[in-house]
Amino acid sequence: MNKKLKQYVPYALALSLAGTALSAQAATTLRVAHFFPAASDVNQNLFKAWANAVEEDSNGQLRVQMFPSGTLAKADAIYEAAANGIADVGITVQGYTAGRFPLTQIVELPGIAPTASAGACVLQTLYDEGHLDDEYADTHPLFMFTTGPGFVHTKDTLVETPEDLAGLRIRRPTSLVGDMLTDMGATPVGMPAPDIYTSMQRGVIDGVSLPWEGIKTFRLNELATQHTQVPFYSLGLIATMNQRTYDRLSPEEKAAIDANSGMKWAENAGEVFNELDRQGKEEAVEAGHTILEIEEPLENPDWQGPLTAGIESYLGKLEERGLPAREVYQAAQAASNACTSGQ
């Protein structure tokens, strides 16, 4: 090697290393809080896929650090953690904060979201059309989605009619679902999703109301053998960002976030949850479990009464608060028709 060139090699190497260090220091790290297990398909196939897309589209200016399983904030505190800056991004169920997102939770009502894909489309549409703006004024929403329809899964009792729920302790995801279960005679029990397995194993609860995805994610096919496939709710979720964090981003970083927001990622979420619903049910079938399918429950003589009463009760409560419940409900029905027309 030329002697003069050789003298410059250490200097050039030092400059290269310094540039790498500065680049690493310049990258903005986003802390993402959610409650799904780290090994879950939701975390691996949805949240990490979103993180990878953001990092790639920002050319490495953004880094994403995941905090799954409620390690940064518990499930019912994740939205506030994102609003207050404890997390830069929070992914959670809106209904875990009782009464905080009343219009959003209209998507939970029976008949609105027949699949996870349809539910994600409906909820994102309601937000895009401005029906939910006031409920998210304190954060920067990225995308919204839903689970597939929630059913009833028990250890021992096959629920054929609402009367069969009498006296059963059923874990409910939100107060809205809990009210419907109460009206049908069950005793709803609130608890974080990660606690369900142990509670059912110990006999603290007799069953759960969850979509098939939740049964798979939290390994409940190991305990619940009786499944009543009555679609009486869907669960809304949101990925949202701390507003100050978003405002501090460079134009290039904001562009990467904006490119990975909205209906595109709502649809991606719907596809992930659809597949997990399929897998969860398939596991139950392969295990020889009992599955009772009740289609069109709002037209079924056994289920129609209590479910219709639940819809009217919820909308009435919102109207008493001066909220445009019927308007949003009708918008949700219109969105559901549009979102399912191509499926």
Side-chain angles (χ1 to χ4, degrees):
M1 178 182 293
N2 182 285
K3 187 174 181 180
K4 184 177 292 188
L5 179 60
K6 190 174 183 180
Q7 290 175 343
Y8 284 104
V9 168
Y11 179 66
L13 180 60
L15 283 177
S16 175
L17 292 174
T20 300
L22 286 172
S23 176
Q25 290 173 0
T28 299
T29 299
L30 301 177
R31 298 158 299 163
V32 178
H34 67 82
F35 62 88
F36 287 87
S40 68
D41 289 323
V42 175
N43 183 52
Q44 297 294 326
N45 299 337
L46 179 58
F47 303 154
K48 283 195 172 182
W50 177 85
N52 291 339
V54 166
E55 291 181 352
E56 181 177 346
D57 289 349
S58 70
N59 294 316
Q61 292 183 42
L62 291 175
R63 308 278 177 84
V64 179
Q65 184 179 11
M66 287 289 173
F67 290 86
S69 303
T71 51
L72 187 59
K74 298 301 181 185
D76 60 357
I78 287 176
Y79 184 86
E80 291 304 321
N84 297 329
I86 295 171
D88 297 301
V89 176
I91 308 173
T92 192
V93 172
Q94 292 97 321
Y96 282 175
T97 310
R100 175 69 176 75
F101 304 97
L103 294 176
T104 294
Q105 286 191 258
I106 285 175
V107 78
E108 293 183 22
L109 294 173
I112 296 297
T115 65
S117 286
C121 177
V122 170
L123 187 51
Q124 187 65 47
T125 296
L126 290 178
Y127 178 74
D128 290 345
E129 291 178 349
H131 296 289
L132 310 177
D133 285 351
D134 290 345
E135 295 187 351
Y136 302 98
D138 55 349
T139 65
H140 181 83
L142 302 177
F143 59 96
M144 301 187 192
F145 53 106
T146 73
T147 65
F151 307 128
V152 176
H153 313 266
T154 63
K155 290 179 67 174
D156 305 308
T157 304
L158 179 64
V159 176
E160 299 184 60
T161 68
E163 287 74 20
D164 295 329
L165 284 165
L168 294 183
R169 297 160 298 175
I170 305 294
R171 184 266 179 181
R172 54 82 172 163
T174 68
S175 58
L176 188 160
V177 177
D179 288 344
M180 286 195 287
L181 287 169
T182 297
D183 292 342
M184 290 187 282
T187 300
V189 180
M191 67 178 63
D195 296 344
I196 296 174
Y197 188 97
T198 301
S199 296
M200 186 179 287
Q201 189 177 46
R202 294 176 178 175
V204 175
I205 55 175
D206 302 301
V208 298
S209 57
L210 278 175
W212 284 113
E213 167 275 322
I215 295 298
K216 174 179 173 58
T217 297
F218 298 102
R219 301 172 28 239
L220 297 177
N221 270 324
E222 297 175 10
L223 302 174
T225 63
Q226 309 296 306
H227 311 274
T228 303
Q229 194 165 293
V230 52
F232 73 101
Y233 79 93
S234 289
L235 204 58
L237 297 98
I238 183 173
T240 195
M241 193 170 193
N242 177 269
Q243 187 64 57
R244 293 182 299 279
T245 297
Y246 180 80
D247 292 342
R248 286 196 297 264
L249 298 180
S250 69
E252 294 77 15
E253 291 169 338
K254 285 180 179 177
I257 294 295
D258 295 344
N260 291 285
S261 298
M263 189 62 77
K264 170 185 174 181
W265 277 92
E267 291 174 349
N268 290 347
E271 291 173 3
V272 169
F273 276 82
N274 279 350
E275 174 60 19
L276 292 177
D277 278 342
R278 186 194 66 77
Q279 292 177 17
K281 183 176 181 178
E282 186 177 85
E283 288 178 359
V285 171
E286 291 176 350
H289 294 179
T290 301
I291 301 175
L292 174 64
E293 297 193 24
I294 299 173
E295 299 179 357
E296 304 295 339
L298 290 176
E299 298 176 10
N300 183 288
D302 291 324
W303 294 90
Q304 181 183 46
L307 294 185
T308 300
I311 294 172
E312 290 302 313
S313 174
Y314 186 70
L315 296 179
K317 289 177 181 177
L318 299 198
E319 288 178 324
E320 290 175 1
R321 295 171 55 180
L323 295 171
R326 302 280 170 184
E327 176 187 332
V328 176
Y329 181 61
Q330 290 171 1
Q333 289 178 310
S336 182
N337 291 332
C339 291
T340 56
S341 62
Q343 293 185 6

